[in-house]
Amino acid sequence: MELSCKTEYALLALVELATHHNTGTPLQIRQIATEQDIPDRYLEQLLATLRRAGVVKSQRGAKGGYLLAREPWKITLWDIISSIEGLDSPQQSVDENPKSAESTVVAEVWQEARHAAESVLQRYTLQDLTEKRDARQQRNIMYYI
Amino acid sequence: MELSCKTEYALLALVELATHHNTGTPLQIRQIATEQDIPDRYLEQLLATLRRAGVVKSQRGAKGGYLLAREPWKITLWDIISSIEGLDSPQQSVDENPKSAESTVVAEVWQEARHAAESVLQRYTLQDLTEKRDARQQRNIMYYI
DNA sequence: AGCAAACCCCAGTGGAGAACCGGGATATAC
DNA sequence: GTATATCCCGGTTCTCCACTGGGGTTTGCT
């Protein structure tokens, strides 16, 4: 239920990639890390996960770095979070423990709640986040006048 | 995002209490535990938490046990989960780390998603769970005919 | 070709919480 | 007073999170 540090790092990093997306040049781990104040060796792992999930792509070697795999408006927050959270549900273990009627009902309701949150996260894209951030910064500038 | 074992135990135990609520007699840990297949010493801790949160009340001594603190239709699933998960937000630490614009936006969106899930859980009461269970059992019986 | 800059992979560590188990103190019905 | 329950405090094992470190590999540049 709580926003884990891990997920927040991933989101912040991708917002950073989204803002530099129009340049076409890759962003390096180090740059993202210093910009968003994330431990770089940790961020490296998160980006690796996101790459394997097909959210970002990487360019190895000198002058390498990371790029978004798709346009910012084609990446939803749910894409990111489900990738990083790893709800792979690896084995649909056909175990024969017949869940009680109570368990089944609880699971159904929980599923409904999770789906509600999921659909909110599906509605937001990286593009939306950068726009919301820019709008917020504009407002903050207004306050200073 | 996932339903923890802990929370599921609490919900199952409370469903059990809700079904015996009309009798007016308290249910004991041991009974709930064997009925719902929960380790009893663990359930004891959960019920203690729920008691401190005001969801259930206890009766000590022989012939003691647990009772719902309110009627089953006045206890929402959110009441239970927030009690057990302990999202008390203990200290509103007025720390002076100015969150970045990106962090703020991410937090806002996350808040919105969490609120969506929360409102689903607010809509369901213990009464709803028992009714859903009974309806489901009726349907299962129909299948056997 | 050589070198440095970047990603890639694997492994380990410290702390926190989950999911338990156990023992003794306390309250209550009979 | 005794049996029966909850209450309270602690410890234990396990997993995950957050993070660090040591190499290896690919690539651009000169």
Side-chain angles (χ1 to χ4, degrees), chain A residues 1-3 8 11-12 15 36 77-78 81 100-106 108-110 112-114 116-117 120-121 123-124 129 132-133 136-137, chain B residues 1-3 8 11-12 15 36 77-78 81 100-106 108-110 112-114 116-117 120-121 123-124 129 132-133 136-137:
Chain A
M1 226 53 187
E2 283 309 299
L3 176 57
E8 184 172 6
L11 289 173
L12 293 178
V15 168
Q36 292 293 336
L77 298 199
W78 179 248
I81 292 170
S100 71
E102 286 83 3
S103 289
T104 312
V105 172
V106 165
E108 280 176 2
V109 173
W110 186 265
E112 189 178 332
R114 203 176 48 187
V120 169
L121 296 172
R123 278 204 302 275
Y124 282 102
L129 280 196
K132 271 176 82 83
R133 178 201 52 188
R136 163 170 293 273
Q137 278 179 337
Chain B
M1 226 53 187
E2 284 309 298
L3 175 58
E8 184 172 5
L11 290 172
L12 292 178
V15 168
Q36 292 293 335
L77 299 198
W78 179 247
I81 292 171
S100 71
E102 286 83 3
S103 290
T104 312
V105 171
V106 165
E108 281 175 3
V109 173
W110 188 265
E112 189 178 332
R114 204 176 46 186
V120 169
L121 296 172
R123 277 203 302 274
Y124 282 103
L129 280 195
K132 271 175 81 81
R133 179 201 52 186
R136 164 170 290 275
Q137 278 180 338

Side-chain angles (χ1 to χ4, degrees), chain A residues 35-47:
Chain A
E35 198 69 29
Q36 292 293 336
D37 201 44
I38 303 172
D40 51 353
R41 306 298 267 109
Y42 190 40
L43 179 58
E44 182 187 334
Q45 295 177 24
L46 303 182
L47 286 172

Side-chain angles (χ1 to χ4, degrees), chain A residues 5-68:
Chain A
C5 191
K6 190 178 184 177
T7 305
E8 184 172 6
Y9 286 166
L11 289 173
L12 293 178
L14 286 183
V15 168
E16 198 68 20
L17 281 179
T19 54
H20 288 91
H21 178 251
N22 50 359
T23 72
T25 65
L27 255 184
Q28 293 147 22
I29 293 179
R30 184 72 57 84
Q31 295 178 299
I32 305 175
T34 58
E35 198 69 29
Q36 292 293 336
D37 201 44
I38 303 172
D40 51 353
R41 306 298 267 109
Y42 190 40
L43 179 58
E44 182 187 334
Q45 295 177 24
L46 303 182
L47 286 172
T49 315
L50 291 170
R51 180 179 51 81
R52 280 188 280 266
V55 178
V56 300
K57 53 189 174 185
S58 66
Q59 193 169 322
R60 301 186 63 169
K63 306 279 177 186
Y66 284 92
L67 295 156
L68 294 183

Side-chain angles (χ1 to χ4, degrees), chain B residues 15-28:
Chain B
V15 168
E16 199 66 21
L17 281 179
T19 54
H20 288 90
H21 179 252
N22 49 359
T23 73
T25 66
L27 255 183
Q28 294 148 22

